Amino acid sequence: SLDRSLTTSWFRAALTWIEADDGDFDIIISSFGPIGSVVLGGYAKAKYKTPYVIDLRDLISIQGQKRKVFLVNTFDKLLDKFLTRRADGFIAVSPTCEKKAAGFYNVGVALICNGLASKISDVKVDLSIQNTENINILYAGTLGVNRNPVAVLTVLDKYASTRNTSITIKFATSGGLYDFIAKDQFNNLKILDMGYLSSEDLSFEMDHSDALLVLEGHSYHGNENLTGKIFEYLRAKKPIMLSCHKGSDIVHLLKELNAGSLIEDESDLIEFLGERRFLDVKKCNGYSRENQYRLLKEYLKTFITK
């Protein structure tokens, strides 16, 4: 619940601006993080006597993958409730975050997802793998303790070892791939470390991939993570291969949209590669930013009285 933003020149300048401005505002929205934004929002609420909503890009003290030390965690949660005490409502970006925040803050929480940049105009989107003898998979994102590729690479390597098939996995990430795998660990796969790619190059690689890979933590603590990357992948109209905990919100989303599936073992991979799959375009467009923006407006209206 604390970070360095409280000591920055940005925080001091924003505080000065609020102190000097006597404007008539309808509503105040702050976004976490950083925590400085939440503190400033609470201060503005007290000054302007205006409804205040906190947009939780991530949960604060109850974030699932946070390291928890008993007394420190207890203090952190108390501090979280103190710093957010003036909020009239919250916004969460995933169903699990929504449920956790509602129970913790005991205040109304709206679910507003990150969303697709634009709606998909196609009437039918075929997400079936067309050529199972030569498969190109792309991962675009960061790697870390909770985004480790070893589990899914192990499944892919075992599959390729007994079949006449070529599997290429491209990692478009800013570095660190070989902190998690050895260069000779998966001899039946072609693994390419492409480094950071521009948006144009990344779009090209997505267009020329057969499937897109998502990595999240395999512990249930990461089930709340529903990143904007998922919606970028959906907009690319490629099947999504997922490696994470089976209870993740991402698993439920892909099942709802028929956009891909979880790969835990070789049987999952066989089903993924062989399934005739069509994206549920109507449901998918429900997650467009246009529609999420409409939901956001309706939620904010509940705080504004004419």
Side-chain angles (χ1 to χ4, degrees), residues 103-301:
F104 183 74
Y105 296 110
N106 199 29
V107 174
V109 181
L111 173 60
I112 310 292
C113 296
N114 286 293
L116 287 77
S118 59
K119 289 183 177 181
I120 295 173
S121 58
D122 309 61
V123 175
K124 180 182 288 187
V125 176
D126 188 351
L127 297 181
S128 309
I129 302 291
Q130 303 301 326
N131 182 1
T132 58
E133 294 182 359
N134 189 6
I135 306 165
N136 290 287
I137 301 167
L138 175 69
Y139 175 77
T142 58
L143 296 172
V145 174
N146 295 309
R147 287 179 178 164
N148 191 323
V150 169
V152 70
L153 291 179
T154 300
V155 174
L156 289 165
D157 188 65
K158 182 179 179 182
Y159 176 87
S161 69
T162 58
R163 290 166 177 83
N164 184 25
T165 185
S166 172
I167 300 179
T168 300
I169 305 98
K170 297 180 180 180
F171 286 87
T173 183
S174 56
L177 174 60
Y178 294 107
D179 292 336
F180 299 94
I181 66 172
K183 292 189 176 182
D184 59 352
Q185 186 172 352
F186 301 103
N187 295 319
N188 301 295
L189 304 175
K190 185 177 182 180
I191 298 174
L192 301 179
D193 184 3
M194 306 188 73
Y196 172 80
L197 295 180
S198 67
S199 57
E200 294 81 8
D201 290 339
L202 182 58
S203 178
F204 175 86
E205 292 298 338
M206 283 187 175
D207 288 342
H208 291 80
S209 296
D210 300 301
L212 304 175
L213 174 62
V214 173
L215 301 174
E216 282 295 343
H218 286 257
S219 163
Y220 72 90
H221 293 297
N223 286 352
E224 67 204 41
N225 296 334
L226 190 60
T227 65
K229 179 64 66 178
I230 303 302
F231 300 101
E232 182 182 343
Y233 275 12
L234 287 168
R235 192 67 187 80
K237 294 178 285 190
K238 299 288 182 176
I240 298 173
M241 179 183 293
L242 179 59
S243 178
C244 68
H245 187 272
K246 62 183 179 182
S248 168
D249 284 346
I250 307 175
V251 174
H252 297 301
L253 178 67
L254 295 188
K255 185 176 181 180
E256 175 192 354
L257 304 182
N258 199 32
S261 58
L262 177 68
I263 306 298
E264 291 186 295
D265 53 37
E266 194 173 356
S267 63
D268 291 333
L269 180 59
I270 293 170
E271 184 177 351
F272 177 86
L273 295 175
E275 183 180 356
R276 188 73 168 154
R277 180 187 295 109
F278 291 90
L279 179 69
D280 190 323
V281 176
K282 183 177 180 180
K283 286 184 179 179
C284 192
N285 283 338
Y287 289 96
S288 68
R289 290 180 190 170
E290 176 185 342
N291 195 54
Q292 296 301 307
Y293 178 55
R294 187 178 298 111
L295 296 174
L296 174 61
K297 288 197 294 182
E298 292 304 314
Y299 179 63
L300 296 182
K301 285 178 182 178

